[in-house]
Amino acid sequence: MGLVLTVNGGSSSLKCALFSRHEKKVEPLYQFKLGNILNTPVMKVLSSEGKTLEKLEPDMTSIEVDDRHQACLNLVIQWVRKQLPDSRICAFGHRVVHGAEAFSDPVMITPDIMKALEELIPLAPLHQPYNLKLIRACQQLEPELPQIACFDTMFHIGQPQVERHYAIPRKYTEAGIHRYGFHGLSYEYIQRSLEQIGKGAESDNTIICHLGAGASMCAVRQGRSIASSMGFTAVDGLPMGSRTGNIDPGVLLYLQRHYGMDTDQLENFLYKESGWLGVSGISSDMIALEQSDQPEAEEAVAMFAYRAALEIGRLSAALQGLDQLVFTGGVGENDSKLRKRICDQLEWLGVKLNKSANKEGEAIISKASAKVIVRVIPTNEEAMIALHTGEVLAES
């Protein structure tokens, strides 16, 4: 049995999933979640159904911080070899946040591809460096195995120019400064889920809300992305856990001139100090904010719900009408209170929640009489990466 290991990492975390591969088809076997890897790592091994099988606290005090990602990957590979001695990993599939215009499909990673992806780091400084670091770690651990890159920007290529372009001098647009959109692997998985539901769900005018500490929305017509909330970088759009979302660029000029902020300080302000964390002064975690009795926490939650409703209005205009709203992502899938706060502001669009269905997190949470169907569909970026990896291997 050939195995595909998907790799999806951040600055201090790593998510992997193991799939068995049979030609282009893949089946989930295990999930691996490693958190706090720069300090005291915790590793959870879960079944394909999400049941925790093991919880480990590996001692990495003797390992340099810069080598922790590779050490964590090695732990995962060792676990796989021990549990499945008669099988072997045949490829790694990687989530890479930014592929710009050059990468509209998953690709086999080569030295030239790596060089091109390194040049995109300024466009996704929070994620791209760690995506590439994990590719190199896999190359060090298993130099003979193919590595497949799957891009969060792929799903949005082909959006209309009126959505894609900024009102800036054309020479900058032609140099690649325009809207890209992200979370594409999640949106692609949801679209495929809608195709499996059928009965027109796959072709309805749909807005998919991928809500979590990183949050965005996408307008989908006939299965294709036509507009999205994120733009040139993944800091645009909705206010997120610690990212500003939409902000008047004049604010940044003001901060430069009156607070003496340099580029690095502005980047930190945009990506790490703002959003839910900045407004509340408490946390970048939505659950913690909803449980807090502080008025600043309530303001952060209310602001997010309000901005989410506004963005759904904008994307509905892009679609020229809304048939279907889908909630996904960690917050979108699990936070019934926030879904209600957003949907209560959308009755003018024809959104009417079934309160009990929403509270229970059922697949459809709208009333039968509602003009707009509201769904909750769990996303699975890892499954999308594994599927793409299998397809690339089959064609190579």
Side-chain angles (χ1 to χ4, degrees):
M1 179 172 60
L3 305 175
V4 170
L5 186 69
T6 65
V7 180
N8 181 358
S11 58
S12 62
S13 65
L14 174 65
K15 290 192 296 183
C16 295
L18 190 69
F19 295 79
S20 62
R21 172 180 172 254
H22 307 278
E23 296 182 349
K24 290 186 179 182
K25 295 182 179 181
V26 293
E27 295 180 7
L29 297 175
Y30 300 103
Q31 303 171 54
F32 307 88
K33 296 184 178 181
L34 295 99
N36 201 31
I37 65 178
L38 302 184
N39 296 298
T40 307
V42 176
M43 175 177 169
K44 287 185 179 180
V45 183
L46 300 93
S47 68
S48 58
E49 294 82 21
K51 181 182 178 181
T52 300
L53 302 176
E54 285 188 49
K55 183 177 179 180
L56 310 170
E57 295 184 8
D59 182 4
M60 293 193 179
T61 52
S62 63
I63 300 172
E64 294 289 335
V65 169
D66 286 347
D67 297 327
R68 293 283 181 90
H69 286 80
Q70 184 166 326
C72 288
L73 269 174
N74 199 28
L75 280 176
V76 172
I77 292 170
Q78 288 176 356
W79 191 95
V80 172
R81 286 174 175 166
K82 182 179 178 180
Q83 297 297 321
L84 302 170
D86 297 327
S87 302
R88 66 182 184 87
I89 296 173
C90 62
F92 293 98
H94 296 269
R95 175 194 177 213
V96 178
V97 166
H98 217 303
E101 294 297 309
F103 299 102
S104 57
D105 295 293
V107 295
M108 189 88 70
I109 296 169
T110 65
D112 287 343
I113 295 291
M114 282 295 287
K115 185 177 180 181
L117 296 180
E118 286 167 357
E119 293 174 355
L120 299 176
I121 286 175
L123 302 185
L126 203 66
H127 300 90
Q128 196 90 345
Y130 298 101
N131 299 155
L132 303 186
K133 186 174 188 176
L134 287 162
I135 292 171
R136 294 190 192 95
C138 289
Q139 290 171 336
Q140 287 287 326
L141 292 168
E142 297 285 353
E144 302 302 318
L145 293 185
Q147 316 265 346
I148 313 300
C150 305
F151 304 96
D152 256 347
T153 46
M154 296 186 304
F155 188 67
H156 305 293
I157 289 177
Q159 286 180 348
Q161 286 188 358
V162 290
E163 168 69 18
R164 202 80 157 160
H165 291 180
Y166 292 113
I168 58 176
R170 186 165 292 276
K171 64 180 180 180
Y172 298 115
T173 302
E174 292 172 350
I177 300 177
H178 55 75
R179 300 173 65 86
Y180 288 99
F182 299 91
H183 288 141
L185 291 166
S186 174
Y187 294 134
E188 187 178 3
Y189 181 85
I190 297 301
Q191 180 57 33
R192 295 202 185 196
S193 297
L194 292 172
E195 290 169 3
Q196 292 176 354
I197 292 170
K199 299 179 182 179
E202 72 282 4
S203 57
D204 282 345
N205 280 354
T206 302
I207 294 174
I208 305 171
C209 306
H210 179 106
L211 307 183
S216 71
M217 295 182 182
C218 181
V220 180
R221 179 191 293 143
Q222 296 292 323
R224 297 180 64 84
S225 170
I226 67 160
S228 53
S229 62
M230 285 182 168
F232 180 62
T233 67
V235 76
D236 197 13
L238 304 171
M240 299 169 239
S242 62
R243 288 175 252 176
T244 58
N246 289 339
I247 188 169
D248 182 343
V251 172
L252 306 183
L253 297 176
Y254 184 86
L255 291 173
Q256 281 184 312
R257 288 173 178 155
H258 293 272
Y259 288 84
M261 285 192 182
D262 60 22
T263 304
D264 289 339
Q265 289 172 315
L266 286 173
E267 185 175 86
N268 204 54
F269 166 84
L270 288 168
Y271 283 91
K272 297 181 180 180
E273 297 177 343
S274 301
W276 314 340
L277 173 63
V279 175
S280 69
I282 296 170
S283 177
S284 61
D285 180 76
M286 182 57 68
I287 293 175
L289 295 178
E290 289 179 329
Q291 292 175 343
S292 172
D293 59 1
Q294 296 300 307
E296 295 85 357
E298 164 59 21
E299 182 182 353
V301 178
M303 180 187 292
F304 181 67
Y306 173 69
R307 297 285 176 83
L310 288 184
E311 186 61 24
I312 289 168
R314 184 186 82 85
L315 294 177
S316 296
L319 288 166
Q320 292 291 287
L322 180 63
D323 301 316
Q324 183 170 237
L325 189 64
V326 179
F327 286 98
T328 193
V331 172
E333 294 167 25
N334 300 302
D335 194 332
S336 61
K337 292 180 181 178
L338 186 64
R339 290 196 300 260
K340 183 178 185 302
R341 291 184 79 142
I342 294 170
C343 290
D344 282 351
Q345 300 176 67
L346 299 172
E347 289 192 7
W348 64 276
L349 264 175
V351 173
K352 294 181 180 180
L353 277 194
N354 179 318
K355 292 181 181 179
S356 61
N358 177 53
K359 190 174 182 180
E360 296 300 320
E362 295 180 10
I364 295 178
I365 60 172
S366 50
K367 291 182 178 179
S369 60
K371 178 184 174 184
V372 176
I373 298 173
V374 184
R375 301 180 188 273
V376 177
I377 302 178
T379 194
N380 193 331
E381 292 167 312
E382 283 71 30
M384 207 68 248
I385 296 167
L387 185 60
H388 281 312
T389 299
E391 290 170 348
V392 172
L393 292 174
E395 293 164 4
S396 62

